Amino acid sequence: MRNLVEISRDPRVPLQYLTPQEEQALVKYVLRLADNGYPLPVKFLRSLALIIVRQRSSIFQITDADLEVRPPGKDWPQGIYRRHPQLKARRLRTIDWKRDGRHIEDKVRHWFDIIGRELADPAILPENVYNMDETGVLLSVLNSLNVLVSKDDSRKHRGTTVKRTLVTAIECISADGRFLHPLIIWSAATHRSYTNTEISLHWVEHVFDPQTRDRAGDQPRLLICDGFGTHESLEVMKFCFANRIILCRLPSQTSHKMQPCDVGVFSPLKTAYRAQVEQACRAGVGTIGKPHFTYLYDRARKEAFTPRNIRSAWSRSGLFPFDPSRVLRDCQASRSEIQTTIPVEPPTVSSNICHTPNTSDHFALLRSEVEQDTQNLDGVCKRRLQTLSRATEKVFAERALLLEENRILFEQNNEKICRQSSGLTVVGHAKVMSYEDIIEAQKKRDITVTEQATRKKRSKAGGKLLSRSEEKRKAEQEILYISPIRISL
């Protein structure tokens, strides 16, 4: 085998950490990950090359722990980019794959069909169209900054008091460039006395309605919100229906492209708030607490919620002016991204041109030709041996990568720690709330109340039917359960 490897090496190729065929296998693996939506971080490229080298001398998935292998140099990935121009490094932002443009295009089209019919109504004026959403603001967490210091100053940090208290604000903007007063929600130090549904109802009744009723007059108001279930409780829908407020639901996983608050105002709001905190710290405020928040947040809102920013947010959302292509262009661009493909070799191996086999069938054809020429090692046979060697290197390199991938997947699938999270209920498709939805919500409420009452009656009835012996046994169990606690005290 050693002689075969030596024959396969092209003297014109300089000595590299991986052979050309191993690099091709690595590039193919990286491109496959990118096509599947999970591009490989650059920092992992060197570790994969090390896996290939370590696997050269092992036929098992677990390599020799005592085997010392020199890792590739720090600049090795840059050489890969030069030799394989189909690869390039790019910084990508993280996003839930369900929110990617190619996965939400149908939802976007359906949303514009729904909202387009509402906005086409002459009674719906831009000044009566609103979008509400919640946003979280950290009380006093600052980012890293480029600052000016003395050339002899060796400090790597700047002092600040970090308070990771999250303050929630419900904001609302109108299509004509206005914004309403916010509703600020502080995190509770004790058990919460309000639920999310009650907060949504309180906002509609005491924040939104008083600030928009007089301006609307007899005209209907259209309120766009995301798909969280607390915005569509029975009480909220009843109040909106009684006060001519048309409640429109955005489809799930689309708010980052179609909700004006998310698209245009929340990012400058948080940037402006951090700038206000920076200024307060430079002025000598040691700790940013709740007494400072209202003042700082109000100044940040005035800086971020400008008529220009608000109108730009509605325009980028494709609503005012109504232009669905503003959003659909991004979705179609995501769908039509250039997909990296690997050219497939012809299904046969020519006797005159030796192609590197990419499949088992190709390898079998080449091997049969080699077996026929073993008695006469001429130039053609040598080239076939070189091709066979390159295919072997490539197959083993791919095998090493797949074995490592299988090992990671095996560990993940056997993970026994279950992480459960209880989030808000998300309802999926775009919709305009109607009276039929109120009737349906009322039926569900009545069924839930009836089931709860039935369970209570059954539990009370079960308690009365206990015999004296059963009551005695239950009391003994309670005593046995309590006695160890008394002893420990």
Side-chain angles (χ1 to χ4, degrees):
M1 183 67 184
R2 180 179 178 183
N3 295 331
L4 184 61
V5 174
E6 290 177 353
I7 292 174
S8 67
R9 292 189 180 277
D10 189 344
R12 294 172 297 178
V13 179
L15 185 61
Q16 298 175 359
Y17 189 79
L18 295 180
T19 65
Q21 304 306 316
E22 289 174 338
E23 282 193 359
Q24 289 181 13
L26 179 59
V27 170
K28 182 179 179 180
Y29 176 77
V30 171
L31 294 178
R32 181 168 65 87
L33 290 180
D35 288 341
N36 291 338
Y38 299 96
L40 181 76
V42 176
K43 63 180 181 180
F44 293 149
L45 193 62
R46 295 171 63 232
S47 63
L48 292 182
L50 181 62
I51 290 171
I52 293 176
V53 174
R54 291 180 63 91
Q55 198 68 35
R56 285 175 180 170
S57 59
S58 176
I59 61 174
F60 300 102
Q61 183 171 353
I62 301 177
T63 58
D64 186 3
D66 298 331
L67 180 63
E68 295 183 2
V69 179
R70 176 182 60 85
K74 294 182 179 179
D75 297 332
W76 182 79
Q78 284 71 21
I80 285 285
Y81 305 152
R82 291 193 299 268
R83 292 187 292 273
H84 301 276
Q86 64 268 43
L87 289 181
K88 69 175 181 179
R90 184 197 304 173
R91 185 173 296 274
L92 300 178
R93 295 184 302 170
T94 57
I95 188 175
D96 186 348
W97 199 239
K98 296 178 182 179
R99 300 167 70 91
D100 183 71
R102 73 191 72 182
H103 295 154
I104 65 172
E105 183 177 354
D106 294 339
K107 293 182 179 181
V108 171
R109 294 184 183 277
H110 183 233
W111 160 252
F112 281 114
D113 290 340
I114 295 294
I115 196 65
R117 290 193 291 268
E118 298 297 325
L119 297 181
D121 187 349
I124 303 296
L125 304 178
E127 61 185 28
N128 294 328
V129 179
Y130 299 89
N131 172 226
M132 65 86 66
D133 192 23
E134 307 94 346
T135 185
V137 180
L138 290 173
L139 194 59
S140 63
V141 175
L142 303 180
N143 294 334
S144 59
L145 293 176
N146 290 327
V147 297
L148 295 174
V149 297
S150 170
K151 65 177 182 178
D152 299 326
D153 193 338
S154 60
R155 290 176 296 179
K156 298 182 180 179
H157 304 89
R158 57 190 181 123
T160 183
T161 301
V162 178
K163 294 190 68 175
R164 297 187 177 274
T165 303
L166 184 66
V167 182
T168 302
I170 299 180
E171 296 284 1
C172 186
I173 59 176
S174 66
D176 64 344
R178 295 176 296 108
F179 60 96
L180 307 184
H181 298 314
L183 177 64
I184 305 299
I185 306 171
W186 299 98
S187 57
T190 57
H191 179 71
R192 296 192 305 176
S193 58
Y194 290 93
T195 63
N196 293 321
T197 301
E198 292 171 337
I199 292 175
S200 298
L201 179 61
H202 177 86
W203 180 84
V204 172
E205 289 181 342
H206 301 286
V207 179
F208 176 77
D209 185 57
Q211 296 183 62
T212 59
R213 185 191 308 113
D214 294 338
R215 176 180 288 270
D218 295 333
Q219 300 296 328
R221 290 166 284 176
L222 190 145
L223 178 59
I224 300 173
C225 58
D226 55 27
F228 286 112
T230 57
H231 301 159
E232 299 174 11
S233 64
L234 177 60
E235 292 77 11
V236 171
M237 287 192 292
K238 283 184 176 180
F239 181 85
C240 291
F241 187 81
N243 292 274
R244 299 196 67 189
I245 300 174
I246 303 173
L247 195 61
C248 296
R249 174 209 301 166
L250 280 164
S252 61
Q253 314 292 346
T254 61
S255 61
H256 63 294
K257 287 186 176 295
M258 296 192 299
Q259 180 150 252
C261 284
D262 281 339
V263 170
V265 296
F266 280 169
S267 179
L269 171 65
K270 295 179 181 180
T271 300
Y273 177 76
R274 286 193 294 267
Q276 292 295 326
V277 174
E278 290 277 359
Q279 185 175 355
C281 292
R282 289 196 300 268
V285 178
T287 303
I288 303 295
K290 291 182 179 180
H292 306 91
F293 176 80
T294 304
Y295 172 73
L296 299 178
Y297 185 72
D298 181 63
R299 297 185 63 179
R301 292 179 78 248
K302 292 178 180 178
E303 181 179 343
F305 286 13
T306 62
R308 179 178 179 180
N309 285 350
I310 295 175
R311 291 193 182 99
S312 175
W314 287 93
S315 176
R316 291 169 58 188
S317 302
L319 297 176
F320 285 94
F322 189 75
D323 184 10
S325 63
R326 289 291 301 268
V327 181
L328 289 172
R329 275 197 299 265
D330 294 338
C331 298
Q332 293 168 354
S334 299
R335 182 180 293 275
S336 61
E337 286 179 349
I338 299 176
Q339 297 294 322
T340 306
T341 57
I342 305 299
V344 180
E345 297 288 347
T348 61
V349 178
S350 173
S351 299
N352 298 324
I353 302 176
C354 294
H355 297 278
T356 302
N358 289 328
T359 65
S360 299
D361 294 336
H362 291 179
F363 184 78
L365 290 173
L366 181 60
R367 184 180 60 186
S368 63
E369 292 185 359
V370 172
E371 291 175 352
Q372 294 174 4
D373 300 333
T374 54
Q375 296 179 356
N376 184 16
L377 293 178
D378 55 4
V380 176
C381 185
K382 289 181 180 179
R383 287 195 297 271
R384 287 171 176 167
L385 287 175
Q386 292 174 358
T387 305
L388 179 62
S389 176
R390 287 194 294 268
T392 305
E393 291 177 357
K394 186 176 180 180
V395 168
F396 276 102
E398 292 176 340
R399 173 179 174 273
L401 294 172
L402 293 176
L403 287 176
E404 178 66 14
E405 184 179 32
N406 290 339
R407 184 188 65 81
I408 295 174
L409 293 175
F410 181 83
E411 292 179 356
Q412 293 176 350
N413 291 334
N414 286 275
E415 181 67 35
K416 295 183 180 180
I417 300 177
C418 299
R419 298 178 178 89
Q420 297 179 349
S421 59
S422 57
L424 297 175
T425 303
V426 179
V427 287
H429 55 276
K431 191 175 183 180
V432 177
M433 297 300 108
S434 62
Y435 182 73
E436 287 74 13
D437 296 309
I438 298 177
I439 300 300
E440 184 66 23
Q442 185 65 61
K443 290 181 180 179
K444 293 181 179 179
R445 174 73 61 83
D446 294 340
I447 292 174
T448 302
V449 172
T450 303
E451 291 177 351
Q452 292 176 350
T454 303
R455 285 195 296 267
K456 290 181 179 180
K457 290 180 180 179
R458 290 177 179 176
S459 61
K460 291 181 179 179
K464 293 179 181 179
L465 294 176
L466 287 177
S467 62
R468 291 187 176 181
S469 59
E470 292 174 339
E471 291 179 352
K472 182 179 179 181
R473 188 182 306 107
K474 183 178 180 181
E476 290 175 351
Q477 292 176 350
E478 292 177 351
I479 293 174
L480 291 175
Y481 176 76
I482 296 174
S483 57
I485 301 178
R486 291 180 176 175
I487 293 174
S488 63
L489 294 175

mmCIF file of all heavy atoms in Angstrom, residues 352-389:
data_model
loop_
_atom_site.group_PDB
_atom_site.id
_atom_site.type_symbol
_atom_site.label_atom_id
_atom_site.label_comp_id
_atom_site.label_asym_id
_atom_site.label_seq_id
_atom_site.Cartn_x
_atom_site.Cartn_y
_atom_site.Cartn_z
ATOM 1 N N ASN A 352 -8.945 5.373 -22.471
ATOM 2 C CA ASN A 352 -7.934 6.344 -22.836
ATOM 3 C C ASN A 352 -7.809 7.462 -21.802
ATOM 4 O O ASN A 352 -6.719 7.973 -21.569
ATOM 5 C CB ASN A 352 -8.273 6.943 -24.215
ATOM 6 C CG ASN A 352 -8.280 5.874 -25.302
ATOM 7 O OD1 ASN A 352 -7.470 4.940 -25.259
ATOM 8 N ND2 ASN A 352 -9.192 6.004 -26.271
ATOM 9 N N ILE A 353 -8.921 7.898 -21.187
ATOM 10 C CA ILE A 353 -8.908 8.975 -20.196
ATOM 11 C C ILE A 353 -9.364 8.396 -18.866
ATOM 12 O O ILE A 353 -10.477 7.890 -18.757
ATOM 13 C CB ILE A 353 -9.834 10.130 -20.612
ATOM 14 C CG1 ILE A 353 -9.400 10.661 -21.984
ATOM 15 C CG2 ILE A 353 -9.800 11.223 -19.584
ATOM 16 C CD1 ILE A 353 -10.315 11.739 -22.529
ATOM 17 N N CYS A 354 -8.500 8.461 -17.862
ATOM 18 C CA CYS A 354 -8.802 7.876 -16.553
ATOM 19 C C CYS A 354 -9.475 8.917 -15.675
ATOM 20 O O CYS A 354 -8.832 9.879 -15.251
ATOM 21 C CB CYS A 354 -7.519 7.365 -15.892
ATOM 22 S SG CYS A 354 -6.780 5.966 -16.770
ATOM 23 N N HIS A 355 -10.754 8.744 -15.424
ATOM 24 C CA HIS A 355 -11.497 9.632 -14.536
ATOM 25 C C HIS A 355 -11.422 9.093 -13.113
ATOM 26 O O HIS A 355 -11.443 7.884 -12.893
ATOM 27 C CB HIS A 355 -12.961 9.732 -14.970
ATOM 28 C CG HIS A 355 -13.147 10.337 -16.332
ATOM 29 N ND1 HIS A 355 -13.153 11.693 -16.547
ATOM 30 C CD2 HIS A 355 -13.311 9.752 -17.544
ATOM 31 C CE1 HIS A 355 -13.326 11.929 -17.839
ATOM 32 N NE2 HIS A 355 -13.432 10.763 -18.468
ATOM 33 N N THR A 356 -11.371 10.014 -12.152
ATOM 34 C CA THR A 356 -11.381 9.601 -10.750
ATOM 35 C C THR A 356 -12.752 9.059 -10.394
ATOM 36 O O THR A 356 -13.756 9.769 -10.540
ATOM 37 C CB THR A 356 -11.042 10.787 -9.841
ATOM 38 O OG1 THR A 356 -9.759 11.294 -10.208
ATOM 39 C CG2 THR A 356 -11.028 10.357 -8.380
ATOM 40 N N PRO A 357 -12.876 7.811 -9.982
ATOM 41 C CA PRO A 357 -14.190 7.239 -9.679
ATOM 42 C C PRO A 357 -14.862 7.962 -8.516
ATOM 43 O O PRO A 357 -14.227 8.249 -7.500
ATOM 44 C CB PRO A 357 -13.879 5.783 -9.309
ATOM 45 C CG PRO A 357 -12.536 5.516 -9.888
ATOM 46 C CD PRO A 357 -11.799 6.810 -9.841
ATOM 47 N N ASN A 358 -16.151 8.239 -8.697
ATOM 48 C CA ASN A 358 -16.941 8.874 -7.645
ATOM 49 C C ASN A 358 -17.965 7.926 -7.048
ATOM 50 O O ASN A 358 -18.602 8.269 -6.049
ATOM 51 C CB ASN A 358 -17.674 10.106 -8.193
ATOM 52 C CG ASN A 358 -16.713 11.242 -8.492
ATOM 53 O OD1 ASN A 358 -15.700 11.388 -7.813
ATOM 54 N ND2 ASN A 358 -17.013 12.038 -9.503
ATOM 55 N N THR A 359 -18.163 6.758 -7.648
ATOM 56 C CA THR A 359 -19.133 5.795 -7.152
ATOM 57 C C THR A 359 -18.493 4.418 -7.101
ATOM 58 O O THR A 359 -17.412 4.181 -7.656
ATOM 59 C CB THR A 359 -20.379 5.750 -8.061
ATOM 60 O OG1 THR A 359 -19.994 5.263 -9.346
ATOM 61 C CG2 THR A 359 -20.995 7.133 -8.204
ATOM 62 N N SER A 360 -19.197 3.511 -6.468
ATOM 63 C CA SER A 360 -18.714 2.137 -6.393
ATOM 64 C C SER A 360 -18.667 1.485 -7.766
ATOM 65 O O SER A 360 -17.769 0.675 -8.062
ATOM 66 C CB SER A 360 -19.603 1.315 -5.457
ATOM 67 O OG SER A 360 -19.569 1.847 -4.154
ATOM 68 N N ASP A 361 -19.611 1.817 -8.639
ATOM 69 C CA ASP A 361 -19.610 1.255 -9.985
ATOM 70 C C ASP A 361 -18.385 1.710 -10.767
ATOM 71 O O ASP A 361 -17.738 0.917 -11.475
ATOM 72 C CB ASP A 361 -20.885 1.660 -10.717
ATOM 73 C CG ASP A 361 -22.119 1.036 -10.085
ATOM 74 O OD1 ASP A 361 -21.965 -0.010 -9.420
ATOM 75 O OD2 ASP A 361 -23.215 1.599 -10.259
ATOM 76 N N HIS A 362 -18.048 2.994 -10.657
ATOM 77 C CA HIS A 362 -16.854 3.498 -11.332
ATOM 78 C C HIS A 362 -15.603 2.776 -10.827
ATOM 79 O O HIS A 362 -14.709 2.414 -11.602
ATOM 80 C CB HIS A 362 -16.724 5.004 -11.110
ATOM 81 C CG HIS A 362 -17.771 5.801 -11.813
ATOM 82 N ND1 HIS A 362 -17.847 7.171 -11.725
ATOM 83 C CD2 HIS A 362 -18.807 5.423 -12.620
ATOM 84 C CE1 HIS A 362 -18.855 7.604 -12.447
ATOM 85 N NE2 HIS A 362 -19.463 6.555 -12.984
ATOM 86 N N PHE A 363 -15.545 2.611 -9.523
ATOM 87 C CA PHE A 363 -14.374 1.956 -8.945
ATOM 88 C C PHE A 363 -14.265 0.497 -9.411
ATOM 89 O O PHE A 363 -13.166 -0.006 -9.684
ATOM 90 C CB PHE A 363 -14.457 2.023 -7.424
ATOM 91 C CG PHE A 363 -13.255 1.459 -6.727
ATOM 92 C CD1 PHE A 363 -12.077 2.181 -6.634
ATOM 93 C CD2 PHE A 363 -13.297 0.185 -6.182
ATOM 94 C CE1 PHE A 363 -10.972 1.662 -6.000
ATOM 95 C CE2 PHE A 363 -12.196 -0.354 -5.554
ATOM 96 C CZ PHE A 363 -11.016 0.393 -5.449
ATOM 97 N N ALA A 364 -15.395 -0.182 -9.517
ATOM 98 C CA ALA A 364 -15.374 -1.571 -9.969
ATOM 99 C C ALA A 364 -14.909 -1.682 -11.421
ATOM 100 O O ALA A 364 -14.149 -2.584 -11.783
ATOM 101 C CB ALA A 364 -16.767 -2.177 -9.811
ATOM 102 N N LEU A 365 -15.354 -0.752 -12.281
ATOM 103 C CA LEU A 365 -14.909 -0.772 -13.665
ATOM 104 C C LEU A 365 -13.406 -0.524 -13.777
ATOM 105 O O LEU A 365 -12.696 -1.203 -14.540
ATOM 106 C CB LEU A 365 -15.668 0.297 -14.468
ATOM 107 C CG LEU A 365 -17.160 0.019 -14.714
ATOM 108 C CD1 LEU A 365 -17.802 1.234 -15.367
ATOM 109 C CD2 LEU A 365 -17.339 -1.213 -15.591
ATOM 110 N N LEU A 366 -12.918 0.427 -13.016
ATOM 111 C CA LEU A 366 -11.490 0.713 -13.051
ATOM 112 C C LEU A 366 -10.679 -0.462 -12.517
ATOM 113 O O LEU A 366 -9.613 -0.801 -13.042
ATOM 114 C CB LEU A 366 -11.200 1.984 -12.259
ATOM 115 C CG LEU A 366 -9.741 2.444 -12.219
ATOM 116 C CD1 LEU A 366 -9.229 2.734 -13.621
ATOM 117 C CD2 LEU A 366 -9.585 3.653 -11.319
ATOM 118 N N ARG A 367 -11.177 -1.084 -11.471
ATOM 119 C CA ARG A 367 -10.453 -2.219 -10.899
ATOM 120 C C ARG A 367 -10.372 -3.382 -11.893
ATOM 121 O O ARG A 367 -9.348 -4.062 -12.010
ATOM 122 C CB ARG A 367 -11.142 -2.673 -9.618
ATOM 123 C CG ARG A 367 -10.407 -3.794 -8.891
ATOM 124 C CD ARG A 367 -11.157 -4.182 -7.638
ATOM 125 N NE ARG A 367 -12.498 -4.657 -7.967
ATOM 126 C CZ ARG A 367 -13.414 -4.954 -7.034
ATOM 127 N NH1 ARG A 367 -13.135 -4.812 -5.753
ATOM 128 N NH2 ARG A 367 -14.609 -5.370 -7.403
ATOM 129 N N SER A 368 -11.431 -3.609 -12.645
ATOM 130 C CA SER A 368 -11.397 -4.694 -13.638
ATOM 131 C C SER A 368 -10.362 -4.417 -14.719
ATOM 132 O O SER A 368 -9.679 -5.328 -15.194
ATOM 133 C CB SER A 368 -12.782 -4.868 -14.246
ATOM 134 O OG SER A 368 -13.172 -3.698 -14.946
ATOM 135 N N GLU A 369 -10.237 -3.161 -15.120
ATOM 136 C CA GLU A 369 -9.228 -2.827 -16.116
ATOM 137 C C GLU A 369 -7.818 -3.020 -15.568
ATOM 138 O O GLU A 369 -6.912 -3.470 -16.282
ATOM 139 C CB GLU A 369 -9.420 -1.394 -16.591
ATOM 140 C CG GLU A 369 -10.685 -1.183 -17.404
ATOM 141 C CD GLU A 369 -10.787 0.212 -17.971
ATOM 142 O OE1 GLU A 369 -9.865 1.016 -17.711
ATOM 143 O OE2 GLU A 369 -11.770 0.510 -18.659
ATOM 144 N N VAL A 370 -7.629 -2.669 -14.295
ATOM 145 C CA VAL A 370 -6.313 -2.851 -13.678
ATOM 146 C C VAL A 370 -5.958 -4.331 -13.606
ATOM 147 O O VAL A 370 -4.815 -4.734 -13.876
ATOM 148 C CB VAL A 370 -6.275 -2.206 -12.284
ATOM 149 C CG1 VAL A 370 -4.985 -2.556 -11.552
ATOM 150 C CG2 VAL A 370 -6.418 -0.693 -12.398
ATOM 151 N N GLU A 371 -6.917 -5.161 -13.248
ATOM 152 C CA GLU A 371 -6.662 -6.594 -13.155
ATOM 153 C C GLU A 371 -6.275 -7.189 -14.508
ATOM 154 O O GLU A 371 -5.486 -8.125 -14.583
ATOM 155 C CB GLU A 371 -7.900 -7.296 -12.596
ATOM 156 C CG GLU A 371 -8.169 -6.961 -11.133
ATOM 157 C CD GLU A 371 -9.462 -7.582 -10.652
ATOM 158 O OE1 GLU A 371 -10.205 -8.131 -11.512
ATOM 159 O OE2 GLU A 371 -9.744 -7.512 -9.441
ATOM 160 N N GLN A 372 -6.808 -6.639 -15.577
ATOM 161 C CA GLN A 372 -6.465 -7.144 -16.907
ATOM 162 C C GLN A 372 -5.052 -6.749 -17.328
ATOM 163 O O GLN A 372 -4.446 -7.409 -18.172
ATOM 164 C CB GLN A 372 -7.464 -6.609 -17.932
ATOM 165 C CG GLN A 372 -8.887 -7.124 -17.730
ATOM 166 C CD GLN A 372 -9.870 -6.468 -18.664
ATOM 167 O OE1 GLN A 372 -9.474 -5.671 -19.525
ATOM 168 N NE2 GLN A 372 -11.146 -6.810 -18.511
ATOM 169 N N ASP A 373 -4.522 -5.697 -16.763
ATOM 170 C CA ASP A 373 -3.220 -5.190 -17.185
ATOM 171 C C ASP A 373 -2.107 -5.462 -16.180
ATOM 172 O O ASP A 373 -1.055 -4.827 -16.243
ATOM 173 C CB ASP A 373 -3.310 -3.677 -17.419
ATOM 174 C CG ASP A 373 -4.310 -3.327 -18.496
ATOM 175 O OD1 ASP A 373 -4.535 -4.175 -19.380
ATOM 176 O OD2 ASP A 373 -4.869 -2.218 -18.450
ATOM 177 N N THR A 374 -2.351 -6.322 -15.231
ATOM 178 C CA THR A 374 -1.330 -6.545 -14.205
ATOM 179 C C THR A 374 -0.058 -7.170 -14.745
ATOM 180 O O THR A 374 1.017 -7.010 -14.159
ATOM 181 C CB THR A 374 -1.900 -7.463 -13.108
ATOM 182 O OG1 THR A 374 -2.403 -8.654 -13.717
ATOM 183 C CG2 THR A 374 -2.967 -6.766 -12.307
ATOM 184 N N GLN A 375 -0.142 -7.880 -15.859
ATOM 185 C CA GLN A 375 1.043 -8.547 -16.399
ATOM 186 C C GLN A 375 1.915 -7.601 -17.231
ATOM 187 O O GLN A 375 3.062 -7.918 -17.532
ATOM 188 C CB GLN A 375 0.617 -9.749 -17.255
ATOM 189 C CG GLN A 375 -0.098 -10.833 -16.470
ATOM 190 C CD GLN A 375 -0.533 -11.991 -17.357
ATOM 191 O OE1 GLN A 375 -0.354 -11.946 -18.583
ATOM 192 N NE2 GLN A 375 -1.096 -13.021 -16.731
ATOM 193 N N ASN A 376 1.379 -6.506 -17.616
ATOM 194 C CA ASN A 376 2.128 -5.580 -18.461
ATOM 195 C C ASN A 376 1.982 -4.172 -17.896
ATOM 196 O O ASN A 376 1.013 -3.467 -18.183
ATOM 197 C CB ASN A 376 1.602 -5.634 -19.893
ATOM 198 C CG ASN A 376 2.427 -4.759 -20.833
ATOM 199 O OD1 ASN A 376 3.540 -4.349 -20.505
ATOM 200 N ND2 ASN A 376 1.871 -4.503 -22.002
ATOM 201 N N LEU A 377 2.917 -3.778 -17.059
ATOM 202 C CA LEU A 377 2.844 -2.475 -16.396
ATOM 203 C C LEU A 377 3.390 -1.400 -17.324
ATOM 204 O O LEU A 377 4.526 -0.938 -17.197
ATOM 205 C CB LEU A 377 3.623 -2.494 -15.088
ATOM 206 C CG LEU A 377 3.071 -3.391 -13.981
ATOM 207 C CD1 LEU A 377 3.964 -3.360 -12.766
ATOM 208 C CD2 LEU A 377 1.659 -2.977 -13.618
ATOM 209 N N ASP A 378 2.578 -1.013 -18.293
ATOM 210 C CA ASP A 378 2.991 0.070 -19.171
ATOM 211 C C ASP A 378 2.494 1.404 -18.616
ATOM 212 O O ASP A 378 2.003 1.491 -17.486
ATOM 213 C CB ASP A 378 2.452 -0.164 -20.584
ATOM 214 C CG ASP A 378 0.938 -0.363 -20.573
ATOM 215 O OD1 ASP A 378 0.347 -0.238 -19.483
ATOM 216 O OD2 ASP A 378 0.368 -0.639 -21.643
ATOM 217 N N GLY A 379 2.595 2.456 -19.437
ATOM 218 C CA GLY A 379 2.199 3.782 -18.971
ATOM 219 C C GLY A 379 0.725 3.891 -18.649
ATOM 220 O O GLY A 379 0.321 4.565 -17.697
ATOM 221 N N VAL A 380 -0.114 3.223 -19.440
ATOM 222 C CA VAL A 380 -1.562 3.277 -19.195
ATOM 223 C C VAL A 380 -1.906 2.671 -17.848
ATOM 224 O O VAL A 380 -2.710 3.192 -17.082
ATOM 225 C CB VAL A 380 -2.315 2.567 -20.335
ATOM 226 C CG1 VAL A 380 -3.813 2.524 -20.047
ATOM 227 C CG2 VAL A 380 -2.048 3.262 -21.670
ATOM 228 N N CYS A 381 -1.255 1.523 -17.551
ATOM 229 C CA CYS A 381 -1.534 0.854 -16.279
ATOM 230 C C CYS A 381 -1.091 1.713 -15.100
ATOM 231 O O CYS A 381 -1.757 1.757 -14.072
ATOM 232 C CB CYS A 381 -0.827 -0.497 -16.257
ATOM 233 S SG CYS A 381 -1.220 -1.491 -14.799
ATOM 234 N N LYS A 382 0.009 2.403 -15.246
ATOM 235 C CA LYS A 382 0.481 3.259 -14.155
ATOM 236 C C LYS A 382 -0.518 4.396 -13.894
ATOM 237 O O LYS A 382 -0.790 4.748 -12.752
ATOM 238 C CB LYS A 382 1.845 3.828 -14.501
ATOM 239 C CG LYS A 382 2.963 2.785 -14.468
ATOM 240 C CD LYS A 382 4.301 3.419 -14.806
ATOM 241 C CE LYS A 382 5.411 2.378 -14.766
ATOM 242 N NZ LYS A 382 6.723 2.966 -15.104
ATOM 243 N N ARG A 383 -1.031 4.965 -14.984
ATOM 244 C CA ARG A 383 -2.017 6.039 -14.794
ATOM 245 C C ARG A 383 -3.280 5.513 -14.113
ATOM 246 O O ARG A 383 -3.907 6.196 -13.309
ATOM 247 C CB ARG A 383 -2.360 6.665 -16.145
ATOM 248 C CG ARG A 383 -1.243 7.548 -16.705
ATOM 249 C CD ARG A 383 -1.769 8.424 -17.836
ATOM 250 N NE ARG A 383 -2.235 7.624 -18.970
ATOM 251 C CZ ARG A 383 -1.452 7.234 -19.969
ATOM 252 N NH1 ARG A 383 -0.155 7.546 -19.960
ATOM 253 N NH2 ARG A 383 -1.945 6.539 -20.970
ATOM 254 N N ARG A 384 -3.650 4.265 -14.457
ATOM 255 C CA ARG A 384 -4.822 3.691 -13.796
ATOM 256 C C ARG A 384 -4.562 3.441 -12.317
ATOM 257 O O ARG A 384 -5.449 3.612 -11.478
ATOM 258 C CB ARG A 384 -5.213 2.395 -14.497
ATOM 259 C CG ARG A 384 -5.852 2.623 -15.869
ATOM 260 C CD ARG A 384 -6.046 1.344 -16.634
ATOM 261 N NE ARG A 384 -6.742 1.593 -17.900
ATOM 262 C CZ ARG A 384 -6.828 0.711 -18.889
ATOM 263 N NH1 ARG A 384 -6.266 -0.479 -18.750
ATOM 264 N NH2 ARG A 384 -7.474 1.016 -20.006
ATOM 265 N N LEU A 385 -3.344 3.029 -11.997
ATOM 266 C CA LEU A 385 -3.009 2.863 -10.583
ATOM 267 C C LEU A 385 -3.056 4.193 -9.841
ATOM 268 O O LEU A 385 -3.497 4.268 -8.693
ATOM 269 C CB LEU A 385 -1.620 2.228 -10.451
ATOM 270 C CG LEU A 385 -1.513 0.742 -10.802
ATOM 271 C CD1 LEU A 385 -0.062 0.287 -10.735
ATOM 272 C CD2 LEU A 385 -2.369 -0.085 -9.861
ATOM 273 N N GLN A 386 -2.614 5.253 -10.495
ATOM 274 C CA GLN A 386 -2.694 6.572 -9.877
ATOM 275 C C GLN A 386 -4.149 6.981 -9.648
ATOM 276 O O GLN A 386 -4.502 7.511 -8.599
ATOM 277 C CB GLN A 386 -1.982 7.588 -10.768
ATOM 278 C CG GLN A 386 -0.469 7.408 -10.849
ATOM 279 C CD GLN A 386 0.161 8.353 -11.858
ATOM 280 O OE1 GLN A 386 -0.539 9.120 -12.517
ATOM 281 N NE2 GLN A 386 1.473 8.294 -11.962
ATOM 282 N N THR A 387 -4.994 6.735 -10.650
ATOM 283 C CA THR A 387 -6.417 7.055 -10.498
ATOM 284 C C THR A 387 -7.037 6.252 -9.370
ATOM 285 O O THR A 387 -7.847 6.768 -8.575
ATOM 286 C CB THR A 387 -7.152 6.768 -11.819
ATOM 287 O OG1 THR A 387 -6.512 7.486 -12.876
ATOM 288 C CG2 THR A 387 -8.606 7.202 -11.731
ATOM 289 N N LEU A 388 -6.671 4.956 -9.291
ATOM 290 C CA LEU A 388 -7.182 4.117 -8.212
ATOM 291 C C LEU A 388 -6.746 4.645 -6.854
ATOM 292 O O LEU A 388 -7.518 4.660 -5.892
ATOM 293 C CB LEU A 388 -6.701 2.684 -8.409
ATOM 294 C CG LEU A 388 -7.111 1.663 -7.348
ATOM 295 C CD1 LEU A 388 -8.624 1.531 -7.308
ATOM 296 C CD2 LEU A 388 -6.454 0.321 -7.609
ATOM 297 N N SER A 389 -5.522 5.082 -6.759
ATOM 298 C CA SER A 389 -5.023 5.609 -5.485
ATOM 299 C C SER A 389 -5.766 6.880 -5.091
ATOM 300 O O SER A 389 -6.124 7.066 -3.927
ATOM 301 C CB SER A 389 -3.522 5.876 -5.601
ATOM 302 O OG SER A 389 -3.033 6.470 -4.430
#
